[in-house]
Amino acid sequence: MPGTAIVQSGNYTLEIDAGFIVNAFTLDDPYKGVLDDTNYVLDGTTQFADVTDGTLNISVRRGRRDQGDILSAGTMSFTLNDTLAKGVFNPFDTSSPYYDANQNVPGLAPMRRVRLGRYDASNTLEYLFIGYVVNYDYQFTLGGLNTVVVYCADQFYLLSQTYLDELSVTAETSGERIETILDLPEVDFPTGPTARNISTGTVNLGHSSHYTIPQGTNVLSYLTQINDSAEFGRLFMSRDGILTFEDRIGQTLSSPVADFNDNGTEIPYDRAGITFEADQVVNRTYVEGLNGNNATDSDATSIATYFIQTDSIINSLLHEQAQIDAAAAYLLQAKPEARYTDVSTKFNMLTAAQRDTVAIVDIGDTITIQKTFSTGTGTTSLTQELSVEGVEHQIDFETGHRITFYTAPTRIVYQLILDDPTYGRLDENNVLG
């Protein structure tokens, strides 16, 4: 209810901005007219309505299922039981505690901010999704349950609805260009560490007339073009609502945040996918910058074995020939490799500590997956360290919580350990740090 503290349902809290502002500074008021950090502030404090107790299920999908897919907006949907809640989610109910009588509008409305959080064993709140309500779908059933399905998206949705004025760009790295775009008045994306985590980038973007951004360019499409045509890193909204840009995906220092296996010594799982497919192969590449500079690369041995399979980029924001050459070489993948594509586990299989670990694994983290296979009369096991590219949560308040991670191969290197027979040599696999 508006005005109440956050209510926990089990370990979870689901909140929607009800449109109410509290603790707002009021000029000349004997109580509210005093500015301080804890009571009254200039813009007031957004009041979130906790709807966890009326929620039947929640579904969250973030990131991508494969490294070659586009990182699009994260989404969340959840179903509210309006019959159990005595109709308070009905937008026509003016007596609902979520109805804003001052503005004569429903408090729970599209484009309200929404937050899904989970309390860990130490009662620390960790957010699993932060975004905005896009749509309320009300289902009224005579003699049955009235339900509301709420559809939400992260801030990528807002960027996809925003368009740029014409911009003559200057010489910048990929990360600097993203910052420039976000700072434009027609974009006005929030600043600071709680809103942005933007790496500098490893490549330089073009700045001649060829690279002038036309009037009406979609903001999210342009940011995606920076990543997918030049940097080849990751651009996504983190689980706690921070716009994150990571440099080109290359070597990853071995530091898995979660280890999954089927032998009872680490985090258990009940589903794992394996792929070994031809379309992983890219043995001919073509990259062309907007200024016409281009490069082609290929792997003759791979072509002889797997035929020609091409990746072509003709709208790259790169302009330096050396970096275009490097991009063409980077995109080559000469042969397919068998790997784990996903791993899934249910929280009722895990200890409290294991639940706390897997709940906050995010895109870009590294995890380990191990499985034991029967081979004739014996067994063998395969262990792989993989990057997390996508995260899905399925939460049902009757049956429990399932989490699934979608993965991609990554080039793992290990930290040098002096005098160790395996990790004690500096080479392509062992590094200083």
Side-chain angles (χ1 to χ4, degrees), residues 20-339:
F20 298 91
I21 301 296
V22 296
N23 300 332
F25 173 78
T26 304
L27 192 64
D28 298 329
D29 187 281
Y31 302 105
K32 301 179 182 179
V34 179
L35 277 175
D36 58 43
D37 293 334
T38 57
N39 293 310
Y40 299 104
V41 294
L42 278 178
D43 296 327
T45 303
T46 299
Q47 180 64 52
F48 281 87
D50 191 290
V51 297
T52 319
D53 288 341
T55 303
L56 299 175
N57 52 67
I58 305 171
S59 176
V60 176
R61 292 180 173 86
R62 299 177 46 250
R64 56 190 175 187
R65 293 199 170 196
D66 189 85
Q67 190 172 341
D69 297 338
I70 293 175
L71 282 160
S72 55
T75 62
M76 177 173 71
S77 63
F78 54 92
T79 303
L80 300 171
N81 185 339
D82 200 32
T83 299
L84 177 66
K86 302 185 185 303
V88 298
F89 301 126
N90 184 343
F92 304 116
D93 183 1
T94 58
S95 64
S96 166
Y98 305 127
Y99 195 87
D100 187 347
N102 293 328
Q103 301 184 60
N104 199 32
V105 295
L108 305 184
M111 300 315 298
R112 299 291 193 197
R113 196 162 173 82
V114 62
R115 307 186 299 202
L116 170 65
R118 177 184 178 275
Y119 289 87
D120 65 17
S122 64
N123 209 36
T124 300
L125 179 61
E126 298 282 4
Y127 285 110
L128 308 183
F129 182 90
I130 294 180
Y132 292 85
V133 173
V134 176
N135 181 47
Y136 289 87
D137 187 0
Y138 293 82
Q139 299 293 330
F140 298 107
T141 305
L142 293 177
L145 289 179
N146 296 328
T147 59
V148 185
V149 181
V150 184
Y151 298 94
C152 315
D154 62 26
Q155 289 201 77
F156 267 21
Y157 175 82
L158 302 183
L159 294 173
S160 73
Q161 302 299 306
T162 308
Y163 294 83
L164 297 171
D165 295 334
E166 182 177 291
L167 178 66
S168 297
V169 293
T170 58
E172 295 170 306
T173 65
S174 54
E176 290 169 341
R177 181 69 56 81
I178 288 175
E179 296 275 19
T180 294
I181 297 300
L182 296 177
D183 289 341
L184 291 172
E186 64 267 33
V187 180
D188 194 26
F189 195 87
T191 60
T194 61
R196 304 181 190 180
N197 181 16
I198 309 297
S199 297
T200 303
T202 64
V203 295
N204 302 314
L205 303 188
H207 52 276
S208 65
S209 60
H210 299 283
Y211 294 89
T212 295
I213 303 174
Q215 172 84 26
T217 297
N218 180 274
V219 172
L220 183 58
S221 294
Y222 186 76
L223 296 183
T224 300
Q225 185 180 3
I226 292 173
N227 186 62
D228 292 356
S229 80
E231 184 64 47
F232 308 115
R234 295 186 186 92
L235 178 70
F236 61 95
M237 297 298 305
S238 70
R239 60 180 177 81
D240 49 358
I242 299 174
L243 179 57
T244 304
F245 176 64
E246 296 178 350
D247 290 346
R248 180 171 294 185
I249 301 171
Q251 292 183 336
T252 301
L253 187 65
S254 178
S255 54
V257 298
D259 296 306
F260 295 88
N261 69 30
D262 59 354
N263 62 18
T265 61
E266 299 292 346
I267 300 171
Y269 62 89
D270 61 349
R271 298 178 187 172
I274 297 177
T275 186
F276 188 40
E277 54 192 6
D279 65 5
Q280 295 179 36
V281 175
V282 176
N283 50 33
R284 188 178 188 278
T285 58
Y286 178 76
V287 179
E288 181 178 318
L290 297 180
N291 63 350
N293 287 359
N294 62 79
T296 300
D297 208 339
S298 62
D299 187 304
T301 301
S302 176
I303 290 173
T305 306
Y306 301 107
F307 308 102
I308 295 176
Q309 301 195 55
T310 302
D311 188 1
S312 177
I313 296 175
I314 59 173
N315 67 338
S316 177
L317 296 177
L318 297 172
H319 71 118
E320 298 176 5
Q321 186 62 53
Q323 293 191 352
I324 293 175
D325 293 342
Y330 174 80
L331 295 172
L332 286 175
Q333 178 63 46
K335 60 182 180 180
E337 295 181 2
R339 65 175 179 86

